[in-house]
Amino acid sequence: MLFRSKMAGFLPESLEGTLALRRLPLATSAGILELTLDTELEGEFSPEEISVDVSVSDGLVKMPKGGGRDLHSIGAPADVVFVDSLESGLATRDLAPPSPLPPIALNIDIPQTVSLRGESINGVLGANLDITSHQGRTEFLGYAEVERGWIKIFRHRYDLVKALASFDATREFNPRVDVKLRHEFKTAEFNVVIRGDLNDPPTPEFRSEPAIYDDAQLLSFFLGGSPDDLGRKPGTGAAAAGAATRLVTSQLTGIVQEIIPLVDVLSLETSDDSATPDQLLAGHWLTEKVLLAIRARLSQQTDQRTNINEATIEWWFLRRWVFEAFFGDREVGAADVLWIRRF
């Protein structure tokens, strides 16, 4: 920490300096995160306004480990005070004595210099936010966004196509969020779109390319299922059974992960000539683009060219480009480089 200040008598007129934080632990509802920041500060002080500019030149946010907490019973929070009406609460606030401080203007500039790292999210944070506070009222103007990253939801890793929170001079912390997530399956591209105000949470929209799936199927993909498990035989009954299978499998994956943390992927698959799932796949993501898995066939295999158990690897090295290889207990193996185009 290093600061220089210009003084007018006993009062500062300006302030500039640097502040370095190293692995500062911060408690959040999800756990303890670690914050590392290198920042530059400039401030101007006058009877009319206190202005502070904060620029982050480098940083790292190490996200908490684990995936959430147990639900709590419903009841009145112990730290909330209820008033008779909203008007009386506002009247009490308006009667508060005025603040002796002049207006405070804070500008936070993060030019995509802070990295987010964790088990469930990776990306780069950028932001430019103006915060003004005076007489107990605070306004927010600007934006914050996460780019060049991914997020893991229900065991699927999504590319962060867009993750933006924008503030339009609101007098409360209520950003408008604009989020688009994308996951590339073998047979479809799956997108999740979320748009709306944070304080009035919008309903996620699910889209696919090709657009051949109904709402129940799209929801099952979001909850951990996969369009790759649908098989090739059409029919409403088969689709409903497939959706139910994926929902059960997504729940089973969570149970298995408690016992075997290395299992990231667990799915029932269908071969080309089968109407019901006849293969079990269990795998672990070595990186966000490399999957190592074991496939076990559940039915009797009379063809000696078909493995009963085999190890597979997938490497998604470019968008829609994937390298696949497998080798099994009957000494049958192959490798392919695929470019996926959907119609």
Side-chain angles (χ1 to χ4, degrees):
M1 182 185 301
L2 178 63
F3 290 99
R4 294 186 299 272
S5 177
K6 181 180 178 182
M7 307 294 292
F10 293 100
L11 299 177
E13 283 188 344
S14 64
L15 177 71
E16 63 178 23
T18 60
L19 175 65
L21 303 177
R22 293 292 178 265
R23 302 183 65 179
L24 175 68
L26 296 176
T28 68
S29 60
I32 304 297
L33 62 80
E34 290 184 353
L35 181 63
T36 298
L37 289 179
D38 291 323
T39 62
E40 298 179 359
L41 294 89
E42 292 185 3
E44 297 289 338
F45 304 90
S46 70
E48 291 76 27
E49 183 182 65
I50 298 175
S51 175
V52 179
D53 295 329
V54 180
S55 178
V56 180
S57 58
D58 190 23
L60 172 65
V61 179
K62 190 174 181 181
M63 307 302 291
K65 294 183 178 180
R69 298 161 53 185
D70 296 335
L71 297 178
H72 298 281
S73 59
I74 298 175
D79 57 347
V80 174
V81 177
F82 294 94
V83 297
D84 294 336
S85 67
L86 178 62
E87 288 75 13
S88 64
L90 293 175
T92 302
R93 186 183 65 179
D94 292 337
L95 293 176
S99 172
L101 295 175
I104 299 175
L106 174 64
N107 172 258
I108 301 175
D109 183 30
I110 306 176
Q112 299 180 2
T113 53
V114 175
S115 299
L116 304 177
R117 294 290 180 265
E119 294 179 345
S120 299
I121 186 171
N122 273 263
V124 178
L125 174 66
N128 191 288
L129 188 61
D130 292 321
I131 305 173
T132 59
S133 179
H134 184 54
Q135 301 294 346
R137 298 182 181 272
T138 303
E139 292 187 357
F140 302 86
L141 178 64
Y143 74 92
E145 63 180 339
V146 179
E147 295 186 340
R148 303 194 301 276
W150 54 263
I151 185 171
K152 186 177 180 181
I153 304 175
F154 291 119
R155 292 168 289 279
H156 287 324
R157 295 196 182 196
Y158 293 86
D159 294 328
L160 288 170
V161 179
K162 189 175 186 180
L164 175 68
S166 55
F167 301 83
D168 188 15
T170 58
R171 292 189 175 181
E172 57 181 359
F173 190 83
N174 184 28
R176 180 168 182 82
V177 296
D178 188 356
V179 177
K180 183 178 180 181
L181 311 177
R182 179 181 63 223
H183 182 79
E184 295 275 356
F185 294 101
K186 293 179 182 179
T187 54
E189 177 184 295
F190 181 62
N191 294 282
V192 181
V193 178
I194 304 172
R195 292 191 178 99
D197 294 336
L198 184 64
N199 289 354
D200 184 18
T203 301
E205 299 178 17
F206 306 129
R207 304 171 185 174
S208 67
E209 180 188 337
I212 58 175
Y213 305 102
D214 59 32
D215 292 341
Q217 290 172 320
L218 293 174
L219 176 60
S220 71
F221 302 158
F222 180 69
L223 295 177
S226 169
D228 304 336
D229 303 337
L230 285 173
R232 297 188 178 183
K233 295 193 176 183
T236 304
T245 299
R246 289 188 299 277
L247 288 173
V248 172
T249 304
S250 66
Q251 298 298 318
L252 181 61
T253 303
I255 298 174
V256 172
Q257 284 183 323
E258 294 292 331
I259 304 173
I260 310 175
L262 291 178
V263 176
D264 294 323
V265 177
L266 183 67
S267 63
L268 289 170
E269 297 182 340
T270 303
S271 59
D272 295 343
D273 55 354
S274 175
T276 58
D278 58 359
Q279 304 174 27
L280 177 64
L281 180 75
H284 174 67
W285 286 99
L286 301 179
T287 71
E288 62 266 27
K289 295 184 180 295
V290 179
L291 174 67
L292 181 64
I294 299 293
R295 176 180 286 107
R297 290 179 171 83
L298 307 178
S299 58
Q300 184 66 31
Q301 302 296 320
T302 57
D303 188 352
Q304 295 299 314
R305 295 171 299 177
T306 301
N307 297 311
I308 299 176
N309 302 290
E310 62 189 20
T312 69
I313 187 170
E314 296 180 5
W315 175 29
W316 296 79
F317 56 93
L318 291 173
R319 188 186 176 194
R320 299 189 178 181
W321 283 90
V322 57
F323 169 79
E324 295 183 343
F326 70 88
F327 190 81
D329 52 7
R330 289 182 173 175
E331 298 184 355
V332 177
D336 293 293
V337 176
L338 306 175
W339 175 64
I340 300 173
R341 181 178 180 183
R342 304 185 180 94
F343 299 92

